[in-house]
Amino acid sequence: MTTQSAVIYVISDALGETAEFVSRAAAAQFVGVKTRIRRVPYVRDQAHLEDIMEEAATEQAILVYTLVLKDLREYLEEKALERGLRTVDILGPLIGALAGQTGMDPTHTPNIIHRLDEQYFRKVEAVEFAVKYDDGKDPRGVLFADVVLIGVSRTSKTPLSMYLAHKGLKAANIPLVPEVDPPDELFSISSRKVIGLTVRPELLNQIRTERLKTLGLGATADYANLDRIMRELEYARGIMKRIGCPIIDATGKAIEETASIILEILFKGDRNE
């Protein structure tokens, strides 16, 4: 008994993993059939398709494809018909069904899933970065950050860093304390990457007092002393002016509101470069 064989060309405008998986699942249903699968990724124009079709015709291969661009799908079907090749459109029918069901047009954007994956992993990387370089743990992070937040304790540096991380930005933050010199790295980067945060002394006094209570400490500690807070804020403002960075008064602002201001500052900076 002769062994039957088949050749499948998997053609995609992305990696072609989906079509290859479907092809292997289908081939597994035919015991004793030797199936060779060739994946051809990132097909984006008719010239590339034409080269593939010529090779496929010599092997009478089945063409399994995931092409989101309509003109490429139509071109492939037309040329396959001329050469007597069988085709299987993996995405086309479902895209058409979804369009009919929703009444909306597809974007026809190649590789969109992997673009979304890239966005997801960028966010994960940014969150890990924010955790690693939170509260001045390692000042070297300043050199690799997209944005550096500076300010005295309890000016929302950490929650802002995490919020910006979920926007895909690598944020480091450095606390400013009169008794501790800021890291040298802070003065070696562009001032456009640094954002100073401040809060009115009275509010900061309330916030720190509540913080001490949650820690089971007395509200009379120097940390919550109003005179101490005013000295800290004055010191921090001096550092910010020395750097020449924008300063945001976060008093009464939600994290989202302050983050929006930061993003606007950063966006304008990129646009003006």
Side-chain angles (χ1 to χ4, degrees), residues 125-145 147-149 158 161 170-175:
E125 185 180 2
V127 169
E128 291 175 345
F129 185 94
V131 171
K132 183 176 182 179
Y133 298 110
D134 180 45
D135 205 33
K137 290 175 184 174
D138 184 348
R140 292 174 299 178
V142 166
L143 303 174
F144 309 105
V147 60
V148 180
L149 308 180
T158 295
S161 294
K170 294 179 180 178
N173 70 80
I174 302 291

Side-chain angles (χ1 to χ4, degrees), residues 142 146-152 157 174 176 182 186-198 233 235-249 261-262 265-266:
V142 166
D146 297 315
V147 60
V148 180
L149 308 180
I150 61 174
V152 302
K157 299 185 299 298
I174 302 291
L176 299 180
L186 192 56
F187 302 97
S188 67
I189 61 174
S190 170
S191 60
R192 289 176 297 187
K193 288 175 56 175
V194 183
I195 302 291
L197 298 171
T198 188
L233 289 172
Y235 168 78
R237 188 171 288 273
I239 296 295
M240 295 170 192
K241 287 183 177 179
R242 179 181 164 190
I243 294 172
C245 65
I247 301 174
I248 300 174
D249 185 350
I261 297 171
I262 293 172
I265 291 171
L266 295 175

Side-chain angles (χ1 to χ4, degrees), residues 13 67-71 73 95 105-112:
D13 47 27
L67 298 171
V68 299
L69 296 177
K70 186 179 179 181
D71 60 334
R73 294 203 307 268
I95 289 175
D105 293 326
T107 62
H108 297 298
T109 305
N111 207 28
I112 192 168

Side-chain angles (χ1 to χ4, degrees), residues 2-231:
T2 58
T3 301
Q4 296 294 320
S5 64
V7 179
I8 298 175
Y9 275 38
V10 172
I11 304 170
S12 177
D13 47 27
L15 285 173
E17 293 170 321
T18 301
E20 181 177 359
F21 180 81
V22 172
S23 299
R24 293 194 181 281
Q29 297 297 316
F30 295 86
V31 179
V33 175
K34 183 178 180 181
T35 304
R36 181 168 62 85
I37 298 175
R38 177 190 173 189
R39 176 153 46 116
V40 188
Y42 302 114
V43 178
R44 301 288 175 83
D45 55 60
Q46 293 183 357
H48 193 180
L49 262 182
E50 185 63 36
D51 292 339
I52 297 166
M53 304 286 272
E54 287 185 12
E55 293 182 31
T58 62
E59 302 184 274
Q60 282 299 294
I62 299 170
L63 306 179
V64 177
Y65 63 93
T66 52
L67 298 171
V68 299
L69 296 177
K70 186 179 179 181
D71 60 334
L72 283 185
R73 294 203 307 268
E74 292 177 346
Y75 184 82
L76 185 148
E77 289 288 352
E78 177 187 341
K79 296 302 178 180
L81 183 62
E82 291 177 2
R83 292 174 168 84
L85 299 176
R86 291 184 173 88
T87 63
V88 180
D89 183 359
I90 301 293
L91 287 181
L94 183 53
I95 289 175
L98 285 169
Q101 181 77 10
T102 63
M104 298 177 65
D105 293 326
T107 62
H108 297 298
T109 305
N111 207 28
I112 192 168
I113 289 180
H114 291 280
R115 292 183 186 181
L116 293 174
D117 286 346
E118 289 171 9
Q119 292 175 7
Y120 171 77
F121 288 116
R122 192 180 305 121
K123 287 182 183 180
V124 171
E125 185 180 2
V127 169
E128 291 175 345
F129 185 94
V131 171
K132 183 176 182 179
Y133 298 110
D134 180 45
D135 205 33
K137 290 175 184 174
D138 184 348
R140 292 174 299 178
V142 166
L143 303 174
F144 309 105
D146 297 315
V147 60
V148 180
L149 308 180
I150 61 174
V152 302
S153 176
R154 313 312 292 179
T155 49
S156 300
K157 299 185 299 298
T158 295
L160 275 169
S161 294
M162 295 304 297
Y163 185 92
L164 293 170
H166 281 88
K167 297 292 183 181
L169 291 177
K170 294 179 180 178
N173 70 80
I174 302 291
L176 299 180
V177 184
E179 292 78 14
V180 180
D181 291 333
D184 294 335
E185 290 87 349
L186 192 56
F187 302 97
S188 67
I189 61 174
S190 170
S191 60
R192 289 176 297 187
K193 288 175 56 175
V194 183
I195 302 291
L197 298 171
T198 188
V199 174
R200 282 203 306 267
E202 297 78 13
L203 178 60
L204 198 52
N205 172 254
Q206 294 175 20
I207 294 172
R208 290 188 176 186
T209 299
E210 290 301 318
R211 175 62 174 166
L212 288 174
K213 288 180 180 178
T214 61
L215 295 174
L217 301 174
T220 57
D222 196 37
Y223 178 71
N225 181 275
L226 188 58
D227 289 338
R228 162 73 185 188
I229 288 172
M230 293 181 71
R231 289 198 303 272

